[in-house]
Amino acid sequence: MRIVLLLVSLFLFSCQSNETKQLTVGIQPYGIFPEAKTDTIAKTIADFYQIKTVVLPSKELYKEAFTEVKSPRYRADKMINLQKKNKVDSLDFVLGLTSKDISVTKKDKWGKIKTPTYKYADWGIMGLAYCPGNSCIVSTFRIQHPNSKIHFTRFKKVAVHEFGHNLGLSHCPDKTCVMTDAVESVKTIDNAKLALCKKCKNMLN
């Protein structure tokens, strides 16, 4: 009887240890951010990557990330670093959402600030992410459009793109792939599909 109970216990323990932990993304809105946009991104990320998303209570942007080098902005590199440091253990990733302008210093392959320096030392961007990593941020500031459908589509593409970096996907040479480099133009985003190319899809499998 004791042998049977021991075998049952080992079987149950084995089953539990083989269960794959479901990864969870915390969708973090900052400031007065539209609920409809937050919910849209939560659903988009969940459906696109087949991953669990949780909408977190809105909070103020980190003051430490604020800059006025060119105009009132928030440093995206600082934001994703602070999100990473403050991430609770129950979350595997944090995807921040803001309507404020965000920026980063653009560097060349040698690690030097791109020229002209005055332009790239604090460069406005649409999103930033660790690749790979557990933190990314997306801003709606530079993807505005009078047509709400186009605006929402851009928003979804940027969010899917940045979170793709968190999962380890780098920029893709296929201009129709959602992981293509925006190369400083929102038109690149408009031309890309809200889909991964075959090569990027295989990298996640």
Side-chain angles (χ1 to χ4, degrees):
M1 187 64 161
R2 289 178 61 186
I3 295 174
V4 173
L5 287 173
L6 179 60
L7 288 173
V8 170
S9 297
L10 288 171
F11 174 77
L12 289 172
F13 177 79
S14 176
C15 288
Q16 288 173 357
S17 62
N18 287 332
E19 286 180 1
T20 304
K21 178 183 177 291
Q22 186 176 22
L23 298 177
T24 304
V25 186
I27 308 298
Q28 179 63 71
Y30 289 101
I32 304 173
F33 197 83
E35 188 177 330
K37 289 185 178 181
T38 304
D39 291 342
T40 293
I41 295 305
K43 187 177 187 307
T44 299
I45 295 297
D47 292 345
F48 194 94
Y49 289 109
Q50 294 300 294
I51 196 168
K52 181 182 177 182
T53 58
V54 176
V55 175
L56 305 173
S58 181
K59 62 189 293 187
E60 291 304 310
L61 282 158
Y62 292 101
K63 292 179 180 178
E64 305 96 303
F66 184 72
T67 180
E68 285 187 290
V69 173
K70 290 183 181 176
S71 59
R73 290 174 173 172
Y74 288 84
R75 291 286 300 190
D77 47 353
K78 186 73 172 176
M79 284 295 300
I80 61 173
N81 181 257
L82 289 166
Q83 284 183 166
K84 178 183 177 181
K85 286 182 178 179
N86 292 287
K87 182 185 69 66
V88 296
D89 292 339
S90 59
L91 298 175
D92 299 286
F93 306 89
V94 178
L95 192 166
L97 303 175
T98 179
S99 59
K100 300 294 185 182
D101 198 11
I102 59 175
S103 63
V104 73
T105 298
K106 295 200 79 172
K107 298 180 179 180
D108 60 25
K109 59 182 179 181
W110 296 284
K112 295 182 179 179
I113 299 175
K114 284 188 174 184
T115 54
T117 305
Y118 73 85
K119 180 180 179 181
Y120 290 113
D122 191 62
W123 178 256
I125 56 175
M126 294 166 271
L128 188 71
Y130 288 118
C131 184
N134 58 8
S135 176
C136 62
I137 189 163
V138 175
S139 167
T140 59
F141 189 86
R142 295 177 180 273
I143 55 174
Q144 297 299 327
H145 195 281
N147 184 316
S148 62
K149 184 177 180 181
I150 293 175
H151 172 68
F152 267 82
T153 300
R154 286 176 175 175
F155 189 28
K156 288 188 279 188
K157 287 178 183 178
V158 176
V160 164
H161 176 103
E162 298 305 338
F163 187 67
H165 283 320
N166 274 181
L167 295 178
L169 296 176
S170 56
H171 283 147
C172 180
D174 185 340
K175 298 302 179 185
T176 65
C177 178
V178 74
M179 291 309 298
T180 191
D181 188 351
V183 290
E184 304 177 3
S185 174
V186 74
K187 289 182 181 178
T188 309
I189 296 171
D190 291 336
N191 293 331
K193 297 176 182 178
L194 184 56
L196 293 170
C197 67
K198 187 176 180 180
K199 182 181 178 182
C200 288
K201 215 179 266 186
N202 289 338
M203 288 180 70
L204 292 179
N205 295 333

